[in-house]
Amino acid sequence: MGKYIVRRLLQMIPVVLGATFIIFAMVFALPGDPTAGKCGERPCSPEFVAKFREEHNLNDPLPVQYGKYLGKFVQGDLGTNYYGIPVKDDLAKRYTITGRLALMAIAFEAIIGILAGVLAGVRKGRFIDNLVTVSTLFVISIPVFVIGVLLQYLFGIKWGLFPATVPSLEASTWSLVLPAFVLGSLSIAYVARLTRTNLVENLRADYVRTAAAKGLTKSRAVGVHTLRNSLIPVVTFIGADFGGLLGGAIVTERIFNIQGVGGYIWKGINSRDGVAVVSAVTVLVIVYLLVNLLVDLLYGVLDPRISHD
Amino acid sequence: MRGTTRTVAVAGISAAALLLAGCGGGGDEGGSTDSGAAAKTGGAITVRGCNPENPLIAGNTSETCGGNVLDVITAKLVKYNVDTAAPENDIAESIETSDNQNFTVKLKKDYKFHDGTVVKAKNFVDAWNYTAYGPNAQLGSYFFEPIEGYADLQSEDPDGDGPQKAPTPKAKELTGLKVVDDTTFTIKTTEKVSNLPVRLGYTAFSPQPDAFFADPKAFGDKPIAAGPYKVDSWTKNAEIKLSKFADYSGARKGNLDNITFKIYQDSNAAYADVQANQLDVTDEVPASAQIDDKYKTDLPDRNLQKPVGVIQTITTAPAKVDPNYGPEIRKAISMAINREAIIKAIFNGTREPATGWVSPVVDGYKADVCGEFCKYDPAKAKEQLAKAGGFKGGKITLSYNADASHKEWTEATCNSIKQALGVDCVATPVVDFSTFRTLIHDRKMKGMFRTGWQMDYPSIENFLAPLYGTGASSNDGDFSDPAFDAKLKEAAAATDAAASNKLYQEAEGIIAKDMATIPLWYSTTTMGWSDKVTNVKVTPFGVPDYAGISLK
């Protein structure tokens, strides 16, 4: 087990290096000069451009730029973005808030999604099953910004049950409930459907019949034996989804004014702010890899047949 | 100018009714004109802000996010009247000249910076020298171009962006600025500038305290200025807290004790917060709330619309880049654009068709300079095209930056041109604003492209000289007419403001003859506020008059 983890961690190094270089090259391959839009419709003065290019190493060839960046990156210095704000401080704050949001969304997914899936699975073909199937279909078919704006209007503005937006400073967990629910809504539907399908499939398996035959109660047969097996694809989905929620929360973040990672990357790309984009995405890659490792380890817990030795 | 990526992008989104009639009396606040004395003082509010792109240094801010904050924390020599945009003395006791070239500025004695030091003539001269000095790379540097000695503070990089460093400029100080005593200094301009006093109200002309020069970088995080409010703290990406400056001795003191700029990335979120009464003022009403004037029912009696000094135009590529868009062709195209219909269909009837090249909010505006060429008339347009020898370039292109909502109106404009002239017209997206501007700046953009201009200071001159003067900094179409240049010079020399404006109007008439660019429409700004506040007004720059806002 320990050996397995060490091996996986070592494998991450080339993946991270490769990913950063590709992102770095891609950001710099984008057309448009970073200084072109900085002074409005008026072109920037040559002095401004020269100082700007000098400060951000833009005059070096790409591999040199990358080398300089990497050298600092290894020492934990992520540099400053084009607005002179240290990327590290920015990212720390933004990953904290987006991370909280994503974790809460995952909690919604896991709790509501699995519960609905199990209910629908064990009562296959009955009312609750149809209700879950139809309502999840409904959620999946609506774009997330519609759900977001609608819930914001109803709960935030009309009824005033939740804050309409999230305060930028010291965002309370309470103010994040609504955005997290919106962010997770699509995945709740997927998790419910995934759980239901797997459960229905596994309920027909031989070992479930055996469990019933040896006199186990239904709740134990379903809860312990069937569900554990059925959750493997669900855990895979949730794991992959966590990374996706971190980078992909941009729509939800804009609606609820959360200064998160998605908006940071979007803005960075728009202003050709290579250093900011690469650092933000690199962190994202690392999170993805770690979550993936965690998911792989969870397989072993859920199904002892999958061993990592 | 104060329009960066964001402003320009927003200028395309935020459309609002331009009601010239409502200009003088303010928006829905009706008759409340100068209610400074009657307004309640004290209290705290939260207003919409956005992320300043640069440290808060008056000479280095060219965008609205930082500009809005600087506007309320700085005091300049003159201040623009909120309602009329006319310049009024603030720190200046008097600005006198007899020849439009040598100005004597006398300061009032009792102005103080937020750190308690007195505002002296030296603070102006030092700050202006710093901003103008090329190697300091300040974004507001170009404002000092008219002052004598400016050229010696700049240096060209001998090989563009190459390995060689630009040489150090010849001088470090503007020869045109001289401190006479603590409260007097003189300004000498290279050429005659009739509207210099008007320009001096722009943020770039703010004085800087001695503390600034010690460490400009750290200063930008917590600036010290002489305005009615001072910065208490700036938490990046979250909020900027201001409080009232007790020692401000100007005429228009702030009403509120505290103003907090809460930073939003999206105007929809700010608007939602205003509706929920969690935010007090938003200076941007999102496009979604402008459809069918929805904001008027969402925020009854808590909204305002006012024209601002922004004009949208279509510029054609210089003749050496694309020879197919000569003056006569431009006139035909202009007459083929159904401005009213596009404004109605795309902007919900909330813009004013342009009848010239100057925004109606400025001193010296004259209506209908463009005349028949800015009026939609498909028959005449076709006739004009035939007279000009027809369009030889195959199809007309209208380029826009695709990262803001310009697609709809450019396509509608092209459709209008296509139907009227019978020449194919294609709205061509360019991936984003920075690529778009690079293409235009490098003179690689062919055909027509969208351009916008937000005034730096409320003067007719600002809509002409920087845009259409030969070799001017924002002359994207390389327009050049010696008669126009001569007229600008003449207008700058006129000592009487009215005479000067008249000459500028004549200059505008000259660019009308050659249709330097195709004027489209004038922009407006729309704002909304919570039911907690009152006395919300907007300056001709489209910035809320924060100091005038008060609680109910």
Side-chain angles (χ1 to χ4, degrees), chain B residues 86-130:
Chain B
E88 292 160 0
N89 284 345
D90 191 5
I91 301 180
E93 177 76 49
S94 67
I95 303 171
E96 279 164 8
T97 181
S98 54
D99 59 355
N100 281 352
Q101 195 158 11
N102 292 288
F103 298 82
T104 306
V105 180
K106 285 204 157 51
L107 308 180
K108 289 180 187 142
K109 291 192 180 69
D110 43 3
Y111 271 75
K112 282 199 181 99
F113 284 111
H114 299 151
D115 61 358
T117 53
V118 177
V119 180
K120 292 178 185 161
K122 178 173 87 70
N123 295 110
F124 282 95
V125 173
D126 289 352
W128 296 5
N129 280 329
Y130 179 88

Side-chain angles (χ1 to χ4, degrees), chain B residues 305-320:
Chain B
Q305 326 163 294
K306 199 177 161 185
V308 289
V310 177
I311 183 172
Q312 302 289 338
T313 47
I314 292 177
T315 303
T316 55
K320 65 176 195 303

Side-chain angles (χ1 to χ4, degrees), chain B residues 41-290:
Chain B
T41 54
I45 61 164
T46 314
V47 301
R48 189 199 82 96
C50 46
N51 254 332
E53 296 190 350
N54 295 295
L56 288 173
I57 295 170
N60 196 25
T61 296
S62 64
E63 40 84 40
T64 47
C65 296
N68 283 6
V69 177
L70 282 166
D71 201 62
V72 65
I73 64 166
T74 55
K76 281 81 63 176
L77 289 172
V78 303
K79 197 172 171 58
Y80 303 115
N81 185 294
V82 179
D83 297 315
T84 64
E88 292 160 0
N89 284 345
D90 191 5
I91 301 180
E93 177 76 49
S94 67
I95 303 171
E96 279 164 8
T97 181
S98 54
D99 59 355
N100 281 352
Q101 195 158 11
N102 292 288
F103 298 82
T104 306
V105 180
K106 285 204 157 51
L107 308 180
K108 289 180 187 142
K109 291 192 180 69
D110 43 3
Y111 271 75
K112 282 199 181 99
F113 284 111
H114 299 151
D115 61 358
T117 53
V118 177
V119 180
K120 292 178 185 161
K122 178 173 87 70
N123 295 110
F124 282 95
V125 173
D126 289 352
W128 296 5
N129 280 329
Y130 179 88
T131 310
Y133 187 58
N136 287 336
Q138 299 289 294
L139 290 169
S141 171
Y142 66 89
F143 277 96
F144 299 92
E145 219 171 322
I147 297 174
E148 192 189 74
Y150 178 81
D152 290 343
L153 268 64
Q154 316 302 318
S155 64
E156 272 310 310
D157 193 339
D159 50 358
D161 282 337
Q164 281 189 58
K165 280 232 169 100
T168 313
K170 273 187 257 169
K172 282 197 94 162
E173 284 172 5
L174 293 163
T175 51
L177 297 177
K178 295 235 157 53
V179 177
V180 177
D181 57 43
D182 274 358
T183 56
T184 317
F185 68 100
T186 59
I187 307 170
K188 183 165 191 253
T189 55
T190 319
E191 286 174 18
K192 290 177 189 295
V193 184
S194 59
N195 65 353
L196 190 76
V198 182
R199 301 186 188 200
L200 297 179
Y202 190 72
T203 320
F205 290 96
S206 304
Q208 295 286 19
D210 299 338
F212 167 74
F213 303 98
D215 187 358
K217 235 184 171 129
F219 181 88
D221 280 342
K222 199 173 180 299
I224 297 162
Y229 284 86
K230 61 181 201 293
V231 174
D232 286 342
S233 67
W234 173 10
T235 315
K236 300 271 159 70
N237 294 319
E239 61 179 30
I240 302 170
K241 279 178 122 74
L242 309 182
S243 65
K244 190 168 166 173
F245 177 47
D247 286 340
Y248 176 69
S249 53
R252 291 201 80 230
K253 296 180 170 57
N255 288 326
L256 295 151
D257 287 340
N258 292 290
I259 299 176
T260 304
F261 283 81
K262 187 177 166 191
I263 289 167
Y264 286 87
Q265 22 184 356
D266 190 49
S267 59
N268 280 292
Y271 186 74
D273 268 357
V274 170
Q275 278 181 284
N277 266 322
Q278 287 175 1
L279 179 75
D280 293 311
V281 180
T282 178
D283 55 341
E284 264 183 37
V285 169
S288 58
Q290 306 230 8

Side-chain angles (χ1 to χ4, degrees), chain A residues 14-15 28 31 39 46 53 60 64 107 116 142 148 155-156 189 192 201 209 213 219 252 263 271 285 290 301-302 309:
Chain A
V15 177
F28 286 91
C39 310
R53 296 191 71 90
D60 299 328
V64 178
I142 305 178
F155 289 96
E201 176 95 15
R209 198 169 355 125
S219 63
T252 315
S271 52
V285 169
L290 289 176
V301 177
L302 287 171
D309 291 320

Side-chain angles (χ1 to χ4, degrees), chain A residues 232-300:
Chain A
I232 289 184
V234 176
V235 167
T236 312
F237 174 80
I238 293 182
D241 202 35
F242 181 71
L245 290 180
L246 279 182
I250 177 163
V251 175
T252 315
E253 287 175 347
R254 276 186 89 88
I255 294 172
F256 293 98
N257 195 40
I258 298 165
Q259 313 277 350
V261 177
Y264 190 74
I265 296 177
W266 182 80
K267 197 159 183 231
I269 291 174
N270 259 337
S271 52
R272 303 283 179 273
D273 200 339
V275 173
V277 176
V278 177
S279 304
V281 177
T282 305
V283 177
L284 213 54
V285 169
I286 294 172
V287 171
Y288 252 111
L289 291 171
L290 289 176
V291 170
N292 247 317
L293 176 60
L294 188 71
V295 168
D296 283 352
L297 293 175
L298 268 180
Y299 287 164

Side-chain angles (χ1 to χ4, degrees), chain B residues 328-376:
Chain B
E328 298 307 311
I329 299 280
R330 291 199 285 264
K331 284 179 187 166
I333 293 172
S334 178
M335 282 194 283
I337 300 170
N338 192 344
R339 295 174 177 75
E340 277 87 1
I342 295 165
I343 289 171
K344 202 167 167 210
I346 312 289
F347 300 113
N348 288 296
T350 56
R351 288 196 181 193
E352 176 81 354
T355 61
W357 287 262
V358 176
S359 163
V361 302
V362 302
D363 196 29
Y365 164 74
K366 188 178 161 196
D368 224 16
V369 176
C370 182
E372 58 167 346
F373 296 120
C374 284
K375 289 202 180 71
Y376 176 60

Side-chain angles (χ1 to χ4, degrees), chain B residues 271 275 288-299:
Chain B
Y271 186 74
Q275 278 181 284
S288 58
Q290 306 230 8
I291 297 168
D292 295 331
D293 285 346
K294 183 173 166 288
Y295 70 94
K296 285 190 181 165
T297 42
D298 286 346
L299 306 170

